[in-house]
Amino acid sequence: MIVGIDLGTTHSLIGTYGEQGPHLFPNALGDYLTPSVVSVDDQGHVIVGRAARDRMVSHPDSSVATFKRWMGTPRETRLGTHTFRPEELSALILRSLIADAEAATGEKVTEAVISVPAYFSDAQRKATRAAGELAGIRVERLINEPTAAALAYGLQENRDGSRFLVFDLGGGTFDVSVLEMFDGVVEVHASAGDNFLGGEDFLDVLQTAFCAEHQLSMDALTPQERGQLRRRLEQAKRDLGANASVAVEWRHGERTLNWQIDEERFARLAEPLVHRIRTPLERAMRDARLQPAQLDEIVLVGGASRMPLVPRLVSRMFGRLPLRHVNPDEAIALGACVSAGLKLRDKRLEEVILTDVCPYTLGTKVSHPDEQGREQAGFFAPIIHRNSTVPVSREETFQPFRDNQTKLTLEVYQGEHPMADHNIKLGELQVPLTPQRRANENAVSLRFTYDVNGVLQVEATILATQERHELVLEQNPGLLSPTEIRSRLQALASIKIHPREKQENIAMLARAERLYEEYIAARAQLQQWIARFRHVLDTQDEHLIREHRRQLSEALDTLEAQA
Ligand code: ADP
Ligand code: MG
């Protein structure tokens, strides 16, 4: 069987193309969305999905999320006694999805179409293919996420020359793409976005407002309390889509905090974020040299585009209603299934892949003076911006922070975060500054040159002496060779994964343990419940287990609703 997969930063989905068209498979818990989270338990068994997400709270050191951001880099994550590369973590998610598809159909999954962001570099695409191999399937093709969204809407049936804008607001990333269809070929005309803007930031807005209103300082809350509050507010954020006003009640120690928020106020509070949404939209349109009237359709996808303020903004900016009737968190997966269906019918839709751009912003780390003139270190200073067409060469001039500094350490980073340490460090260049001079007479010009092969050349020139220093960075150290893939495949195969039929029990325990972590007052009670449930699990009596699981689930619902 050939499947379509959306391997998302926050959630992943799997489906296939059948007689009725594209359709998705539920996971062992009955959900279509599997959280892209991996955790390793005390026995060294791997746990994926909702249970792993709960374990982020109770076992943060042995759980990991948002690793899609690290695809194409060699960054390793230690979970318990195992160490994983990003493509291995992705492979564990894929395996779990594949098991769900196989359980639903009784057929073996052999091939897949997997969606990736349009701006994914060659290295990131190769890492995604490697993840498929590590999961034991052949990746028939990678499809750009915006193209998949267009397929879910059947836009490939439009006339030649049609142009679409795909707006994708996920959990932590925002992507805008302008697509053009020509002769069965989809071209990504422009892509823009914000790698650190998504539904989570809107949740932060609610959290800040809630705390301000109740004179709570976020720093005074324990991580457990913060987790509880965020869960409450996440529900409120979702409820605001269907209700003009939502009540939030949260018990904090002895106090019961009540809050009422309406959609209008939420939209006002979120104004700075809404503003950040506008920028990439305007940029993508400018880069594609299009006026709003020249777009045939605007498509909204990504879970966070469900917030009413999103279609409002888009309608206002473009003067028309966007398409959003396909479930926004399923659209990309459904599109990947359509692509799998096209392959089955020996028809395909070709894509022009956008790899002749620099996928990340490249820059260095600098200090800025604060109001008192003291050094504030660690800011990211971009030199080559993401999406610049390659080859590209840009130069910026920097001064040492202090007079008579004897050397300058120029660190090279890639990423989109304003603080350098949140980005990925690629290397550094030491520039000795002799003789000593005043800071303003000791400027260094820093030139970055990035070529089609992903090689970054860094050149520093001390302006006073014209002395040059150079560093050459291969941008793709992050790829596994075929031999490495084979050996890692074996290593992964020996890792134990809990069988699918145990998933509901594991998820129930993980949830109870999360609540134990979050609700201190209920700990004695929870401990009893956990012990009893573990005991029932030991009986291996399926009937008894099911009955207890149902009771425990209800008890946990009540606890969470009342606390
Ligand atoms: P990703 O593509 O990053 O994996 P998704 O498309 O699954 O992400 O979107 C996840 C985001 O969507 C989360 O921030 C979540 O809060 C938000 N979201 C999901 N459903 C809703 C809803 N009904 N209302 C508002 N936000 C929602
Ligand atoms: Mg997504």
Side-chain angles (χ1 to χ4, degrees), residues 163 165 285 290-298 318 320:
R163 297 176 184 121
L165 182 134
M285 290 298 285
L290 288 181
Q291 295 300 316
Q294 293 170 291
L295 287 174
D296 293 82
E297 294 291 355
I298 300 166
F318 293 91
R320 81 172 80 179

Side-chain angles (χ1 to χ4, degrees), residues 6 145 168 332:
D6 171 5
E145 287 171 6
D168 181 357
I332 288 171

Side-chain angles (χ1 to χ4, degrees), residues 137-191:
I137 50 169
R138 207 170 74 75
V139 179
E140 155 63 24
R141 68 179 312 219
L142 299 175
I143 182 171
N144 284 330
E145 287 171 6
T147 307
L151 290 182
Y153 276 94
L155 298 183
Q156 73 276 21
E157 311 291 349
N158 275 43
R159 64 179 168 78
D160 245 17
S162 299
R163 297 176 184 121
F164 316 118
L165 182 134
V166 178
F167 175 111
D168 181 357
L169 190 61
T173 53
F174 174 44
D175 299 311
V176 182
S177 319
V178 177
L179 307 183
E180 185 164 340
M181 317 264 318
F182 228 89
D183 256 355
V185 177
V186 181
E187 184 167 2
V188 178
H189 240 31
S191 90

Side-chain angles (χ1 to χ4, degrees), residues 8 21 24-25 53 89 97 101 118 120 133 143 152 156 187 197 222 238 291 333 359 426-427 455 461 469 489 515 528:
L24 301 175
F25 301 120
R53 193 177 60 191
L89 294 168
L97 297 172
F120 250 27
E133 271 186 69
I143 182 171
Q156 73 276 21
E187 184 167 2
L197 177 62
T222 62
R238 291 173 186 230
Q291 295 300 316
L426 300 177
V455 176
T461 310
H469 296 267
L489 186 63
L515 293 171
Q528 256 182 29

Side-chain angles (χ1 to χ4, degrees), residues 8-11 33 168-173 198-200 234 237-238 302-304 306-307 328-329:
T9 314
T10 328
H11 296 115
L33 271 66
D168 181 357
L169 190 61
T173 53
E200 285 295 303
E234 170 73 27
K237 182 180 83 176
R238 291 173 186 230
R306 282 222 175 83
M307 292 181 295
D329 32 38

